Amino acid sequence: MNAIGLSFFVAIVGLTLFVTYIASKRTNSASEFYTAGGGLSGWQNGIAIAGDYLSAASFLGIAGAIALFGFDGFFYSIGYLVAYLVVLYIVAEPLRNLGKYTLADMITARFDQKKVRAAAAISTLTIVLFYMIAQLVGAGALIQLLLGIDYWIAVLLVGVMMTIYVLWGGMAATSWVQIIKAALLMVGTVLISILVLWKFNFNILGMFTEMKSVTSNGEAYLHPGVKYTNGLDTISMMIALVLGTAGLPHILMRFFTVKDAKTARSSVVYATWIVGIFYVLTIFLGFGAAAFVGSDAIIAANPAGNMAAPLLAQALGGDILMSFVSAVAFATILAVVAGLVLSGASAFAHDLYGQIIKKGKVTEKEQMNAARLASVGVSVFSILLALGAQTMNVAFLVSLAFCIAASANLPVIIYTIYWKNFNTTGALTAIITGLISALVLVALSPNLWSADGSMAFTGEALFPLTNPALVSVPLGFLGGWIGTLVGARADQRKYAEVDVKANIGLK
């Protein structure tokens, strides 16, 4: 790590800490802590959403996956991008109209039951932890490569930084850190893409032709089946990616940071453009890494391929570009984990503590103190889990978080907004069935079991798919349907009220 590289890190960390300091002066209430007082404009929130969404999985994980597995790695880009159509057309406006701070607020707008709020909060915390592990694994690998320090020290460093952002700046600081990071990430990605194209004489068709002979996979590199030989497994992963975004708590929480549903919709439009351009450019990141770094060097730096993008930057632009790209990746991780910590803390402090334990009788000061304590707790627990997941690809880890979100959260969101007969029992069974089925199937899958002992447990996996969304998502919807049939009759008047609020924003 040279002086230039260190200066990039110091500059980005210093800038984000300065933003946090400014934001802390304006964070005096629960509304400001959770949602920045709803004061972000459409373009600001759109860039912040993109910053929240373009995580270590996107920049580090997808680049590595494409570099090592070709088209199979690009499945992640396709899934993440298409997912925003689900958010835009189905979730964004009703969620903003019905909710206040958290996903549980939106659901309890129709079912004002403690048990429903508790189930939604537990689902949120579970998703946050899976997602956090992915970001911290990426951060640990990145800093370990650049600074030559132990993995656990790197993870701890990121954990401390993200906790600072949330504790003192809340959503305002987190949003502006995400905006800064999104801008830097796009600059770095466009720059590398141009350099890759330059190496291929700006001939995109020629690049694809040349990639047939660059890797050991030959022409198969450009077709599905290099990594995902099981077609059902591929379909299952895509279901998780496409449907999971609409259930991710840290993304959904961003719709409460604007003043109305119209602004929420414009936020998603801005975010979709930024996200769309980025995911198209991941092709150049992955192909460039495969052609100019090589799979052996990528795997040597990190077995899961998470260092492909920084290594490509070094191959194309030397230590200066690598240092800039690595610093941007570091900022990417800090911004995303800060948003995750905030969503997890809000689920605990607002839903579990404020609305269930204190029965809504909680002062602003008590709620903010609880949120800050919860932020520390989420950070510490995530760090401990990340220490044991060093060798896993971060894009894959995030796909599991998407699976839980699609299985547990999306069914109850859809039913709450669009099914008039949906009731409290259905809401509970949808969340619980989706959550438990996803977790159990992951525990029985090849992610944790292998015959050669290379995974956590030795033996044959009882469930064949690495991502269980193909089974767990239908089970979540089925659980909500069956629960509704056996539960008490739904309050039709309450649904009519929710229907009006969801569509026109009437409070």
Side-chain angles (χ1 to χ4, degrees), residues 126 130 404 434-444 468 472:
T126 304
F130 266 90
I404 298 172
L435 178 62
I436 292 178
S437 63
L439 291 175
V440 169
L441 292 177
V442 167
L444 299 176
S472 61

Side-chain angles (χ1 to χ4, degrees), residues 77-411:
S77 294
I78 298 170
Y80 289 147
L81 178 56
V82 174
Y84 256 98
L85 298 178
V86 180
V87 178
L88 177 60
Y89 289 112
I90 298 178
V91 173
E93 182 175 353
L95 185 78
R96 173 61 187 82
N97 288 337
L98 294 175
K100 183 179 180 182
Y101 296 147
T102 66
L103 171 63
D105 284 336
M106 176 262 184
I107 298 171
T108 53
R110 184 172 174 187
F111 310 111
D112 192 13
Q113 297 278 345
K114 291 182 180 179
K115 51 191 176 183
V116 175
R117 185 179 289 274
I122 291 170
S123 175
T124 293
L125 288 169
T126 304
I127 295 166
V128 165
L129 288 174
F130 266 90
Y131 218 123
M132 284 277 288
I133 293 170
Q135 307 310 311
L136 292 175
V137 167
L142 180 70
I143 299 174
Q144 184 183 30
L145 174 68
L146 292 172
L147 302 182
I149 61 178
D150 290 341
Y151 173 79
W152 71 270
I153 297 176
V155 170
L156 187 61
L157 175 63
V158 176
V160 171
M161 289 292 301
M162 70 188 182
T163 307
I164 290 173
Y165 292 150
V166 175
L167 284 181
W168 280 278
M171 179 58 83
T174 299
S175 296
W176 280 103
V177 168
Q178 287 162 345
I179 290 171
I180 293 168
K181 159 259 171 155
L184 291 173
L185 181 61
M186 289 304 296
V187 169
T189 303
V190 169
L191 179 58
I192 295 175
S193 298
I194 291 173
L195 291 174
V196 169
L197 280 172
W198 177 65
K199 288 284 189 178
F200 287 105
N201 299 314
F202 294 95
N203 185 344
I204 295 178
L205 292 179
M207 177 184 70
F208 276 85
T209 300
E210 191 170 333
M211 292 308 298
K212 295 178 181 179
S213 58
V214 165
T215 73
S216 59
N217 294 309
E219 190 170 346
Y221 182 79
L222 298 179
H223 301 282
V226 173
K227 177 177 175 60
Y228 298 107
T229 55
N230 184 335
L232 288 178
D233 208 1
T234 306
I235 294 172
S236 188
M237 181 189 72
M238 293 301 290
I239 290 173
L241 299 183
V242 171
L243 300 181
T245 301
L248 290 176
H250 66 294
I251 298 296
L252 299 180
M253 193 176 181
R254 295 230 56 92
F255 297 123
F256 304 133
T257 63
V258 294
K259 61 182 179 179
D260 53 34
K262 180 181 178 181
T263 312
R265 287 197 305 274
S266 69
S267 298
V268 179
V269 173
Y270 280 109
T272 303
W273 274 104
I274 298 170
V275 168
I277 293 170
F278 174 85
Y279 283 127
V280 169
L281 296 180
T282 57
I283 297 173
F284 304 112
L285 297 181
F287 281 8
F292 308 121
V293 178
S295 58
D296 291 341
I298 293 171
I299 293 172
N302 180 266
N306 295 323
M307 290 300 99
L311 291 173
L312 172 62
Q314 185 178 42
L316 297 177
D319 290 340
I320 294 178
L321 184 57
M322 181 190 184
S323 299
F324 172 73
V325 167
S326 299
V328 170
F330 182 63
T332 295
I333 293 165
L334 287 177
V336 174
V337 294
L340 288 165
V341 170
L342 189 58
S343 61
S346 64
F348 179 85
H350 176 66
D351 295 325
L352 296 179
Y353 175 75
Q355 299 300 316
I356 296 177
I357 297 176
K358 300 291 286 187
K359 301 178 180 178
K361 298 176 181 179
V362 58
T363 65
E364 292 277 342
K365 183 177 181 180
E366 288 175 335
Q367 192 168 165
M368 289 187 67
N369 287 339
R372 287 180 167 130
L373 287 173
S375 299
V376 175
V378 170
S379 299
V380 171
F381 192 44
S382 300
I383 289 170
L384 293 175
L385 292 176
L387 294 177
Q390 182 177 1
T391 60
M392 301 188 74
N393 182 279
V394 291
F396 167 72
L397 285 170
V398 166
S399 73
L400 295 182
F402 274 66
C403 174
I404 298 172
S407 305
N409 288 354
L410 185 62

